[in-house]
Coordinates of all heavy atoms in Angstrom, one line a residue:
M50 N -10.6 -15.8 -26.5 CA -9.8 -14.9 -25.8 C -8.4 -15.5 -25.6 O -8.3 -16.6 -25.2 CB -10.4 -14.4 -24.5 CG -9.7 -13.4 -23.8 SD -10.6 -12.6 -22.5 CE -10.6 -13.8 -21.2
R51 N -7.4 -14.7 -25.8 CA -6.0 -15.2 -25.6 C -5.3 -14.2 -24.7 O -5.5 -12.9 -24.8 CB -5.2 -15.2 -26.9 CG -5.7 -16.2 -27.9 CD -5.0 -16.3 -29.1 NE -3.5 -16.2 -29.0 CZ -2.7 -16.0 -29.9 NH1 -3.1 -16.0 -31.2 NH2 -1.4 -15.9 -29.6
V52 N -4.4 -14.7 -23.8 CA -3.6 -13.9 -23.0 C -2.5 -13.3 -23.9 O -1.8 -14.0 -24.6 CB -3.0 -14.7 -21.9 CG1 -2.0 -13.9 -21.1 CG2 -4.1 -15.3 -21.0
K53 N -2.4 -12.0 -23.9 CA -1.4 -11.3 -24.7 C -0.1 -10.9 -23.8 O 0.9 -10.5 -24.4 CB -1.9 -10.1 -25.3 CG -3.0 -10.4 -26.4 CD -3.5 -9.2 -27.0 CE -4.5 -9.5 -28.1 NZ -4.9 -8.3 -28.8
G54 N -0.2 -10.9 -22.5 CA 0.9 -10.5 -21.7 C 0.6 -10.5 -20.3 O -0.5 -10.8 -19.8
L55 N 1.5 -10.0 -19.5 CA 1.4 -9.9 -18.1 C 1.7 -8.5 -17.6 O 2.7 -7.9 -18.0 CB 2.5 -10.9 -17.4 CG 2.6 -10.9 -15.9 CD1 1.3 -11.6 -15.4 CD2 3.8 -11.7 -15.5
D56 N 0.7 -8.0 -16.8 CA 0.9 -6.5 -16.4 C 1.7 -6.5 -15.1 O 2.6 -5.7 -15.0 CB -0.5 -6.0 -16.2 CG -0.5 -4.6 -15.6 OD1 0.0 -3.7 -16.4 OD2 -0.9 -4.4 -14.5
H57 N 1.3 -7.3 -14.1 CA 2.1 -7.3 -12.9 C 1.9 -8.6 -12.1 O 0.9 -9.3 -12.3 CB 1.6 -6.0 -12.0 CG 0.3 -6.2 -11.3 ND1 -0.9 -5.9 -12.0 CD2 0.0 -6.5 -10.1 CE1 -1.9 -6.1 -11.1 NE2 -1.4 -6.4 -10.0
V58 N 2.8 -8.7 -11.2 CA 2.7 -9.9 -10.2 C 2.7 -9.3 -8.9 O 3.4 -8.4 -8.5 CB 4.0 -10.8 -10.4 CG1 4.1 -11.9 -9.3 CG2 4.1 -11.4 -11.8
S59 N 1.8 -9.8 -8.0 CA 1.6 -9.3 -6.7 C 2.1 -10.4 -5.7 O 1.7 -11.6 -5.8 CB 0.2 -9.0 -6.4 OG 0.0 -8.4 -5.1
V60 N 3.0 -10.0 -4.7 CA 3.5 -10.9 -3.7 C 3.2 -10.3 -2.4 O 3.5 -9.2 -2.1 CB 5.1 -11.0 -3.9 CG1 5.6 -11.9 -2.8 CG2 5.4 -11.6 -5.2
T61 N 2.6 -11.1 -1.6 CA 2.3 -10.7 -0.2 C 3.5 -11.0 0.6 O 4.1 -12.1 0.6 CB 1.1 -11.5 0.4 OG1 -0.1 -11.2 -0.4 CG2 0.8 -11.0 1.8
C62 N 4.0 -10.0 1.5 CA 5.1 -10.2 2.3 C 4.8 -9.7 3.8 O 3.8 -9.0 4.0 CB 6.2 -9.3 1.8 SG 5.9 -7.5 1.6
A63 N 5.6 -10.3 4.7 CA 5.4 -9.9 6.1 C 6.1 -8.6 6.5 O 5.8 -8.0 7.5 CB 5.9 -11.1 7.0
D64 N 7.2 -8.3 5.8 CA 7.9 -7.0 6.1 C 8.3 -6.3 4.8 O 9.1 -6.7 4.1 CB 9.2 -7.5 6.9 CG 10.1 -6.3 7.3 OD1 10.0 -5.2 6.7 OD2 10.9 -6.5 8.2
L65 N 7.5 -5.3 4.5 CA 7.6 -4.6 3.2 C 9.0 -4.0 3.1 O 9.6 -4.1 2.0 CB 6.5 -3.5 3.1 CG 6.6 -2.7 1.8 CD1 6.2 -3.6 0.6 CD2 5.6 -1.6 1.9
D66 N 9.5 -3.4 4.1 CA 10.8 -2.7 4.0 C 12.0 -3.8 3.7 O 12.8 -3.5 2.9 CB 11.2 -2.0 5.3 CG 10.2 -0.8 5.5 OD1 9.8 -0.1 4.5 OD2 9.8 -0.6 6.7
A67 N 11.9 -4.9 4.4 CA 12.9 -6.0 4.1 C 12.7 -6.5 2.7 O 13.7 -6.8 2.0 CB 12.8 -7.1 5.1
S68 N 11.5 -6.6 2.2 CA 11.3 -7.1 0.9 C 11.7 -6.1 -0.2 O 12.3 -6.5 -1.2 CB 9.8 -7.4 0.6 OG 9.4 -8.5 1.5
I69 N 11.5 -4.8 0.0 CA 12.1 -3.8 -0.8 C 13.6 -3.9 -1.0 O 14.1 -3.9 -2.0 CB 11.6 -2.4 -0.4 CG1 10.1 -2.2 -0.6 CG2 12.4 -1.3 -1.2 CD1 9.6 -0.9 0.0
R70 N 14.2 -4.0 0.2 CA 15.7 -4.1 0.2 C 16.1 -5.3 -0.6 O 17.1 -5.2 -1.3 CB 16.2 -4.1 1.6 CG 16.2 -2.8 2.3 CD 16.9 -2.8 3.7 NE 16.4 -3.8 4.6 CZ 15.5 -3.6 5.5 NH1 14.8 -2.5 5.5 NH2 15.1 -4.6 6.3
F71 N 15.5 -6.5 -0.5 CA 15.8 -7.7 -1.2 C 15.7 -7.5 -2.7 O 16.7 -7.7 -3.4 CB 14.9 -8.9 -0.8 CG 15.2 -10.1 -1.6 CD1 16.3 -10.9 -1.3 CD2 14.3 -10.5 -2.6 CE1 16.5 -12.0 -2.0 CE2 14.5 -11.6 -3.3 CZ 15.6 -12.4 -3.1
Y72 N 14.6 -7.0 -3.2 CA 14.3 -7.0 -4.6 C 15.1 -5.7 -5.2 O 15.6 -5.8 -6.4 CB 12.8 -6.8 -4.9 CG 12.1 -8.1 -4.7 CD1 11.3 -8.4 -3.6 CD2 12.2 -9.1 -5.6 CE1 10.7 -9.5 -3.4 CE2 11.5 -10.4 -5.4 CZ 10.8 -10.5 -4.3 OH 10.1 -11.7 -4.1
R73 N 15.2 -4.6 -4.5 CA 15.9 -3.4 -5.0 C 17.4 -3.6 -4.9 O 18.1 -3.4 -5.9 CB 15.4 -2.2 -4.3 CG 16.0 -0.9 -4.8 CD 15.7 0.2 -3.8 NE 16.3 0.0 -2.5 CZ 15.8 0.5 -1.3 NH1 14.8 1.3 -1.4 NH2 16.4 0.1 -0.2
D74 N 17.8 -3.9 -3.6 CA 19.3 -3.8 -3.4 C 20.0 -5.1 -3.8 O 21.1 -5.0 -4.3 CB 19.5 -3.5 -1.9 CG 18.9 -2.2 -1.5 OD1 18.6 -1.4 -2.3 OD2 18.7 -2.0 -0.3
L75 N 19.4 -6.2 -3.7 CA 20.1 -7.5 -4.0 C 19.9 -7.9 -5.4 O 20.8 -8.3 -6.1 CB 19.6 -8.6 -3.0 CG 20.4 -9.9 -3.2 CD1 21.9 -9.8 -2.9 CD2 19.8 -11.0 -2.3
L76 N 18.6 -7.8 -5.9 CA 18.2 -8.2 -7.3 C 18.3 -7.0 -8.3 O 18.2 -7.2 -9.4 CB 16.9 -8.8 -7.3 CG 16.7 -10.2 -6.5 CD1 15.4 -10.7 -6.7 CD2 17.8 -11.2 -6.9
H77 N 18.5 -5.8 -7.7 CA 18.6 -4.6 -8.6 C 17.5 -4.3 -9.5 O 17.6 -3.7 -10.5 CB 19.9 -4.6 -9.4 CG 21.2 -4.9 -8.6 ND1 21.7 -3.9 -7.7 CD2 21.9 -6.0 -8.5 CE1 22.8 -4.4 -7.2 NE2 22.9 -5.7 -7.5
L78 N 16.2 -4.6 -9.0 CA 15.1 -4.1 -9.7 C 14.8 -2.7 -9.4 O 14.9 -2.3 -8.2 CB 13.8 -5.0 -9.2 CG 13.8 -6.5 -9.6 CD1 12.6 -7.1 -9.0 CD2 13.9 -6.7 -11.0
P79 N 14.6 -1.8 -10.3 CA 14.3 -0.4 -10.1 C 13.0 -0.2 -9.3 O 12.0 -0.8 -9.6 CB 14.1 0.1 -11.6 CG 14.9 -0.9 -12.5 CD 14.6 -2.2 -11.8
F80 N 13.2 0.6 -8.3 CA 12.1 1.0 -7.4 C 11.2 2.0 -8.1 O 11.8 3.0 -8.6 CB 12.6 1.5 -6.1 CG 11.6 1.9 -5.1 CD1 11.0 0.9 -4.3 CD2 11.2 3.2 -5.0 CE1 10.0 1.3 -3.4 CE2 10.2 3.6 -4.1 CZ 9.6 2.5 -3.3
R81 N 9.9 1.9 -8.1 CA 9.0 2.8 -8.7 C 8.2 3.7 -7.7 O 8.2 4.8 -7.8 CB 8.0 2.1 -9.6 CG 8.7 1.4 -10.8 CD 7.7 0.7 -11.6 NE 6.4 1.4 -11.8 CZ 6.0 1.9 -13.0 NH1 6.8 1.7 -14.1 NH2 4.9 2.5 -13.1
A82 N 7.5 3.1 -6.8 CA 6.7 3.9 -5.8 C 6.3 3.0 -4.6 O 6.4 1.8 -4.7 CB 5.4 4.3 -6.6
Q83 N 5.7 3.6 -3.6 CA 5.2 2.9 -2.5 C 4.1 3.7 -1.9 O 4.1 4.9 -2.1 CB 6.2 2.4 -1.5 CG 6.8 3.5 -0.6 CD 7.9 2.9 0.3 OE1 8.9 2.5 -0.1 NE2 7.6 3.1 1.6
G84 N 3.3 3.1 -1.0 CA 2.3 3.9 -0.3 C 1.4 3.0 0.6 O 1.8 1.8 0.8
E85 N 0.3 3.6 1.1 CA -0.6 2.9 1.9 C -2.0 3.0 1.2 O -2.3 3.9 0.5 CB -0.7 3.4 3.3 CG 0.5 3.0 4.1 CD 0.2 3.3 5.7 OE1 -0.9 3.3 6.1 OE2 1.3 3.5 6.4
A86 N -2.8 2.0 1.5 CA -4.2 2.0 0.9 C -5.2 1.4 2.0 O -4.8 0.4 2.6 CB -4.3 1.2 -0.3
D87 N -6.3 2.0 2.1 CA -7.4 1.4 2.9 C -8.8 1.8 2.4 O -9.8 1.8 3.1 CB -7.3 1.8 4.4 CG -7.4 3.4 4.6 OD1 -7.5 4.1 3.6 OD2 -7.4 3.8 5.8
Q88 N -8.8 2.1 1.2 CA -10.1 2.5 0.5 C -11.0 1.4 0.3 O -10.6 0.2 0.4 CB -9.8 3.1 -0.9 CG -9.0 4.4 -1.0 CD -7.5 4.2 -0.8 OE1 -7.0 3.1 -0.7 NE2 -6.8 5.3 -0.5
P89 N -12.4 1.7 0.3 CA -13.4 0.6 0.2 C -13.1 -0.4 -1.0 O -13.4 -1.5 -0.8 CB -14.7 1.5 -0.1 CG -14.4 2.7 0.5 CD -12.9 3.0 0.3
W90 N -12.5 0.0 -2.1 CA -12.3 -0.9 -3.2 C -11.3 -2.0 -2.8 O -11.4 -3.1 -3.2 CB -11.7 -0.2 -4.4 CG -10.4 0.5 -4.3 CD1 -10.3 1.9 -4.0 CD2 -9.1 0.0 -4.2 NE1 -9.0 2.2 -3.9 CE2 -8.2 1.0 -4.0 CE3 -8.6 -1.3 -4.4 CZ2 -6.9 0.9 -3.9 CZ3 -7.2 -1.4 -4.3 CH2 -6.4 -0.4 -4.1
L91 N -10.5 -1.7 -1.7 CA -9.5 -2.7 -1.3 C -10.2 -3.9 -0.6 O -9.9 -5.0 -0.8 CB -8.4 -2.0 -0.5 CG -7.3 -3.0 0.1 CD1 -6.5 -3.6 -1.1 CD2 -6.4 -2.2 1.0
A92 N -11.1 -3.5 0.3 CA -11.9 -4.5 1.0 C -12.7 -5.3 0.0 O -12.8 -6.6 0.1 CB -12.8 -3.9 2.0
Q93 N -13.3 -4.7 -1.0 CA -14.0 -5.5 -2.0 C -13.1 -6.4 -2.8 O -13.5 -7.5 -3.1 CB -14.8 -4.4 -2.9 CG -15.6 -5.1 -4.0 CD -16.3 -4.1 -4.8 OE1 -15.9 -2.9 -4.9 NE2 -17.4 -4.5 -5.5
M94 N -11.9 -5.9 -3.2 CA -11.0 -6.7 -4.0 C -10.4 -7.9 -3.2 O -10.4 -9.0 -3.7 CB -9.8 -5.8 -4.5 CG -8.9 -6.5 -5.4 SD -7.7 -5.4 -6.0 CE -6.6 -5.2 -4.6
T95 N -10.2 -7.7 -1.9 CA -9.5 -8.7 -1.1 C -10.5 -9.7 -0.4 O -10.2 -10.8 0.0 CB -8.6 -8.2 -0.1 OG1 -9.3 -7.4 0.8 CG2 -7.5 -7.4 -0.7
G96 N -11.8 -9.2 -0.3 CA -12.7 -9.9 0.5 C -12.6 -9.8 2.0 O -13.1 -10.5 2.8
L97 N -11.7 -8.9 2.4 CA -11.4 -8.7 3.8 C -12.0 -7.3 4.3 O -11.6 -6.3 3.7 CB -9.8 -8.6 4.1 CG -9.1 -9.9 3.6 CD1 -7.6 -9.7 3.7 CD2 -9.5 -11.0 4.5
A98 N -12.8 -7.3 5.2 CA -13.4 -6.1 5.7 C -12.4 -5.2 6.3 O -11.4 -5.7 7.1 CB -14.5 -6.5 6.8
K99 N -12.4 -3.9 6.1 CA -11.4 -3.0 6.7 C -10.0 -3.3 6.3 O -9.2 -3.2 7.2 CB -11.7 -2.8 8.1 CG -13.0 -2.4 8.5 CD -13.2 -2.2 10.0 CE -14.6 -1.8 10.3 NZ -14.8 -1.6 11.8
A100 N -9.7 -3.8 5.2 CA -8.4 -4.1 4.8 C -7.5 -2.9 4.7 O -8.0 -1.9 4.2 CB -8.3 -4.9 3.5
R101 N -6.3 -2.9 5.2 CA -5.4 -1.8 5.1 C -4.0 -2.4 4.8 O -3.5 -3.4 5.4 CB -5.3 -1.1 6.4 CG -4.5 0.2 6.4 CD -4.7 1.1 7.6 NE -4.2 0.5 8.9 CZ -3.0 0.7 9.4 NH1 -2.2 1.5 8.9 NH2 -2.7 0.0 10.5
I102 N -3.3 -1.9 3.8 CA -2.0 -2.4 3.3 C -1.0 -1.3 3.1 O -1.4 -0.2 3.0 CB -2.2 -3.1 1.9 CG1 -2.7 -2.2 0.9 CG2 -3.1 -4.3 2.0 CD1 -2.5 -2.7 -0.6
R103 N 0.2 -1.7 3.1 CA 1.4 -1.0 2.6 C 1.8 -1.7 1.3 O 1.7 -2.9 1.2 CB 2.5 -0.9 3.6 CG 2.3 -0.1 4.7 CD 3.5 -0.1 5.7 NE 4.7 0.5 5.0 CZ 6.0 0.1 5.2 NH1 6.3 -0.8 6.0 NH2 7.0 0.7 4.5
W104 N 2.2 -0.9 0.3 CA 2.5 -1.6 -1.0 C 3.7 -0.9 -1.5 O 4.0 0.3 -1.2 CB 1.3 -1.5 -2.0 CG 0.9 -0.1 -2.2 CD1 -0.1 0.6 -1.6 CD2 1.4 0.8 -3.2 NE1 -0.2 1.9 -2.1 CE2 0.7 2.0 -3.1 CE3 2.4 0.8 -4.1 CZ2 0.9 3.2 -3.9 CZ3 2.7 1.8 -5.0 CH2 1.9 3.1 -4.8
A105 N 4.4 -1.6 -2.5 CA 5.5 -1.0 -3.2 C 5.5 -1.6 -4.6 O 5.0 -2.8 -4.8 CB 6.8 -1.3 -2.5
E106 N 6.0 -0.9 -5.6 CA 6.1 -1.4 -6.9 C 7.6 -1.3 -7.4 O 8.3 -0.4 -7.1 CB 5.3 -0.6 -7.9 CG 3.8 -0.7 -7.7 CD 3.0 0.1 -8.6 OE1 3.6 1.0 -9.4 OE2 1.8 0.0 -8.7
L107 N 8.0 -2.4 -8.0 CA 9.4 -2.5 -8.6 C 9.2 -2.8 -10.1 O 8.3 -3.5 -10.5 CB 10.2 -3.4 -7.9 CG 10.6 -3.0 -6.4 CD1 9.7 -3.9 -5.5 CD2 12.0 -3.1 -6.1
D108 N 10.1 -2.4 -10.9 CA 10.1 -2.5 -12.4 C 10.7 -3.9 -12.8 O 11.9 -4.1 -12.6 CB 10.7 -1.4 -13.0 CG 10.4 -1.3 -14.5 OD1 10.1 -2.3 -15.1 OD2 10.7 -0.2 -15.1
L109 N 9.9 -4.8 -13.4 CA 10.4 -6.0 -13.9 C 11.0 -5.9 -15.3 O 11.5 -6.9 -15.9 CB 9.4 -7.1 -13.8 CG 9.0 -7.5 -12.4 CD1 7.7 -8.4 -12.4 CD2 10.1 -8.2 -11.7
G110 N 10.7 -4.8 -15.9 CA 11.1 -4.6 -17.3 C 10.0 -5.0 -18.3 O 9.0 -5.7 -17.9
G111 N 10.0 -4.5 -19.5 CA 9.0 -4.8 -20.5 C 7.6 -4.4 -20.1 O 6.6 -4.9 -20.5
G112 N 7.5 -3.4 -19.2 CA 6.2 -2.8 -18.9 C 5.6 -3.6 -17.8 O 4.4 -3.4 -17.4
R113 N 6.3 -4.6 -17.1 CA 5.8 -5.4 -16.1 C 6.2 -4.8 -14.7 O 7.3 -4.4 -14.5 CB 6.1 -6.8 -16.3 CG 5.4 -7.4 -17.5 CD 5.9 -8.8 -17.8 NE 7.3 -9.0 -18.1 CZ 7.8 -8.8 -19.3 NH1 7.0 -8.5 -20.3 NH2 9.1 -8.9 -19.5
I114 N 5.4 -5.1 -13.7 CA 5.6 -4.5 -12.4 C 5.6 -5.7 -11.4 O 4.7 -6.6 -11.5 CB 4.5 -3.5 -12.0 CG1 4.5 -2.3 -12.9 CG2 4.6 -3.0 -10.6 CD1 5.8 -1.5 -13.0
L115 N 6.5 -5.6 -10.4 CA 6.4 -6.5 -9.2 C 5.7 -5.6 -8.1 O 6.3 -4.6 -7.7 CB 7.7 -7.0 -8.7 CG 7.8 -7.7 -7.4 CD1 6.9 -9.0 -7.5 CD2 9.2 -8.0 -7.0
E116 N 4.6 -6.1 -7.6 CA 3.8 -5.4 -6.6 C 4.0 -6.1 -5.3 O 3.7 -7.3 -5.2 CB 2.3 -5.3 -7.0 CG 1.5 -4.7 -5.8 CD 0.1 -4.8 -6.2 OE1 -0.5 -5.9 -6.4 OE2 -0.6 -3.8 -6.3
L117 N 4.6 -5.5 -4.2 CA 4.8 -6.1 -2.9 C 3.6 -5.6 -2.0 O 3.4 -4.3 -2.0 CB 6.1 -5.7 -2.3 CG 7.3 -6.1 -3.2 CD1 8.6 -5.6 -2.6 CD2 7.4 -7.7 -3.3
V118 N 3.0 -6.5 -1.3 CA 1.8 -6.1 -0.4 C 2.1 -6.6 1.0 O 2.4 -7.8 1.2 CB 0.6 -6.6 -1.0 CG1 -0.6 -6.2 -0.1 CG2 0.3 -6.1 -2.4
D119 N 2.0 -5.7 1.9 CA 2.1 -6.0 3.4 C 0.8 -5.6 4.0 O 0.4 -4.5 4.1 CB 3.3 -5.2 4.0 CG 3.5 -5.6 5.5 OD1 2.7 -6.4 6.1 OD2 4.4 -5.0 6.0
F120 N 0.0 -6.7 4.5 CA -1.3 -6.4 5.2 C -1.1 -5.9 6.5 O -0.6 -6.6 7.4 CB -2.1 -7.7 5.1 CG -2.8 -8.0 3.8 CD1 -2.2 -8.7 2.8 CD2 -4.1 -7.5 3.6 CE1 -2.8 -8.9 1.6 CE2 -4.7 -7.7 2.4 CZ -4.1 -8.4 1.4
L121 N -1.5 -4.7 6.7 CA -1.4 -4.1 8.2 C -2.6 -4.5 8.9 O -2.6 -4.7 10.1 CB -1.4 -2.6 8.1 CG -0.2 -2.0 7.3 CD1 -0.3 -0.6 7.1 CD2 1.1 -2.4 7.9
E122 N -3.9 -4.6 8.3 CA -5.0 -5.0 8.9 C -5.8 -5.8 7.8 O -6.0 -5.3 6.7 CB -5.9 -3.9 9.4 CG -5.4 -3.1 10.6 CD -6.3 -2.0 11.0 OE1 -7.6 -2.3 11.0 OE2 -5.8 -1.0 11.3
P123 N -6.4 -6.9 8.1 CA -6.0 -7.7 9.2 C -4.6 -8.4 9.1 O -4.2 -8.7 7.9 CB -7.1 -8.8 9.3 CG -7.5 -9.0 7.8 CD -7.4 -7.6 7.2
R124 N -3.9 -8.6 10.1 CA -2.6 -9.3 10.1 C -2.8 -10.7 9.8 O -3.7 -11.3 10.3 CB -1.9 -9.1 11.4 CG -1.3 -7.7 11.7 CD -0.4 -7.1 10.8 NE 0.8 -7.8 10.6 CZ 1.8 -7.4 9.7 NH1 1.6 -6.3 9.0 NH2 2.9 -8.0 9.6
G125 N -2.0 -11.2 8.9 CA -2.2 -12.7 8.6 C -1.3 -13.5 9.4 O -0.5 -13.1 10.2
E126 N -1.5 -14.8 9.3 CA -0.7 -15.8 10.0 C 0.4 -16.2 9.1 O 0.2 -16.4 7.9 CB -1.6 -17.0 10.3 CG -2.8 -16.7 11.3 CD -2.3 -16.4 12.7 OE1 -1.2 -17.0 13.1 OE2 -2.8 -15.5 13.3
P127 N 1.6 -16.5 9.6 CA 2.7 -17.1 8.8 C 2.2 -18.4 8.2 O 1.5 -19.2 8.7 CB 3.8 -17.3 9.8 CG 3.5 -16.5 11.0 CD 1.9 -16.4 11.0
V128 N 2.7 -18.6 6.9 CA 2.4 -19.9 6.2 C 3.5 -20.9 6.5 O 4.7 -20.5 6.7 CB 2.3 -19.6 4.7 CG1 1.0 -18.7 4.4 CG2 3.4 -19.1 4.1
D129 N 3.2 -22.1 6.4 CA 4.1 -23.3 6.5 C 5.0 -23.2 5.3 O 4.5 -23.2 4.2 CB 3.4 -24.5 6.6 CG 4.3 -25.7 6.8 OD1 5.5 -25.7 6.5 OD2 3.8 -26.7 7.4
G130 N 6.3 -23.2 5.4 CA 7.2 -23.2 4.3 C 7.5 -24.4 3.6 O 8.2 -24.6 2.6
D131 N 6.8 -25.6 4.0 CA 7.0 -26.8 3.4 C 6.1 -26.9 2.1 O 4.9 -26.9 2.1 CB 6.5 -27.9 4.3 CG 6.7 -29.3 3.9 OD1 7.2 -29.5 2.6 OD2 6.4 -30.3 4.5
L132 N 6.9 -26.9 0.9 CA 6.2 -26.8 -0.3 C 5.4 -28.0 -0.8 O 4.6 -28.0 -1.6 CB 7.2 -26.5 -1.4 CG 8.0 -25.1 -1.3 CD1 9.0 -25.0 -2.3 CD2 7.0 -24.0 -1.3
N133 N 5.7 -29.2 -0.1 CA 5.1 -30.4 -0.5 C 4.1 -30.9 0.5 O 3.7 -32.0 0.6 CB 6.2 -31.5 -0.7 CG 5.7 -32.7 -1.4 OD1 4.7 -32.6 -2.2 ND2 6.2 -33.8 -1.1
R134 N 3.7 -30.0 1.5 CA 2.8 -30.4 2.6 C 1.4 -30.5 2.0 O 0.9 -29.5 1.3 CB 2.8 -29.4 3.7 CG 2.0 -29.8 4.8 CD 2.1 -28.8 6.0 NE 1.2 -29.3 7.0 CZ 1.2 -28.6 8.2 NH1 2.0 -27.7 8.5 NH2 0.4 -29.1 9.1
R135 N 0.7 -31.6 2.3 CA -0.7 -31.8 1.9 C -1.6 -31.5 3.0 O -1.3 -31.9 4.2 CB -0.9 -33.2 1.4 CG -0.2 -33.4 0.2 CD -0.3 -34.9 -0.2 NE 0.6 -35.2 -1.3 CZ 0.2 -35.9 -2.4 NH1 -1.0 -36.4 -2.5 NH2 1.1 -36.1 -3.3
P136 N -2.8 -30.8 2.8 CA -3.7 -30.6 3.9 C -4.2 -31.9 4.5 O -4.4 -32.9 3.7 CB -4.8 -29.8 3.3 CG -4.6 -29.9 1.8 CD -3.2 -30.3 1.5
E137 N -4.4 -31.9 5.8 CA -4.9 -33.2 6.4 C -6.4 -33.3 6.0 O -7.2 -32.4 5.9 CB -4.8 -33.1 7.9 CG -3.4 -33.0 8.3 CD -3.1 -33.5 9.7 OE1 -4.0 -34.1 10.3 OE2 -2.0 -33.2 10.2
R138 N -6.8 -34.5 5.7 CA -8.2 -34.8 5.4 C -9.0 -35.4 6.5 O -8.5 -36.2 7.3 CB -8.2 -35.8 4.2 CG -7.4 -35.3 3.0 CD -7.7 -36.1 1.8 NE -6.8 -35.7 0.8 CZ -7.2 -35.0 -0.3 NH1 -8.3 -34.5 -0.4 NH2 -6.3 -34.6 -1.2
G139 N -10.2 -34.8 6.8 CA -10.9 -35.2 8.0 C -12.0 -36.1 7.8 O -12.4 -36.7 6.8

């Protein structure tokens, strides 16, 4: 089996509206759609019981989509921005 292409990239964000403004208004990616989801398939896909999200799609060109996801439930914890941080070993 060979990878023939990329359909979409999904990015989890803390503020969907701010992220839309960044990618649409600053980077000029065409906006496609947005909505909310809390269907059973979402909990199964994420492994999170009662998952509820807001999402948006922007066009990356060539048939590829940037999907922005904001988890409404359960709310996540902010991640450490240190890209070189190693987990502590116990």
Side-chain angles (χ1 to χ4, degrees):
M50 181 165 73
R51 289 181 44 188
V52 175
K53 293 185 178 183
L55 179 68
D56 177 67
H57 75 279
V58 173
S59 183
V60 175
T61 301
C62 57
D64 183 336
L65 183 65
D66 297 320
S68 295
I69 290 171
R70 287 191 301 273
F71 175 78
Y72 288 103
R73 181 193 61 205
D74 301 343
L75 186 63
L76 299 183
H77 304 289
L78 294 179
F80 180 81
R81 293 178 45 111
Q83 74 181 62
E85 283 193 28
D87 64 355
Q88 291 81 7
W90 60 262
L91 183 60
Q93 184 179 19
M94 183 176 76
T95 62
L97 300 169
K99 300 180 182 179
R101 187 167 65 95
I102 63 168
R103 287 181 63 213
W104 58 269
E106 293 180 350
L107 294 105
D108 192 341
L109 291 172
R113 292 175 298 274
I114 301 296
L115 171 62
E116 174 186 62
L117 302 173
V118 178
D119 183 357
F120 280 86
L121 302 174
E122 290 182 41
R124 291 301 295 178
E126 296 291 324
V128 295
D129 184 338
D131 187 351
L132 298 177
N133 194 31
R134 184 176 179 176
R135 294 177 187 224
E137 298 204 18
R138 301 192 188 258

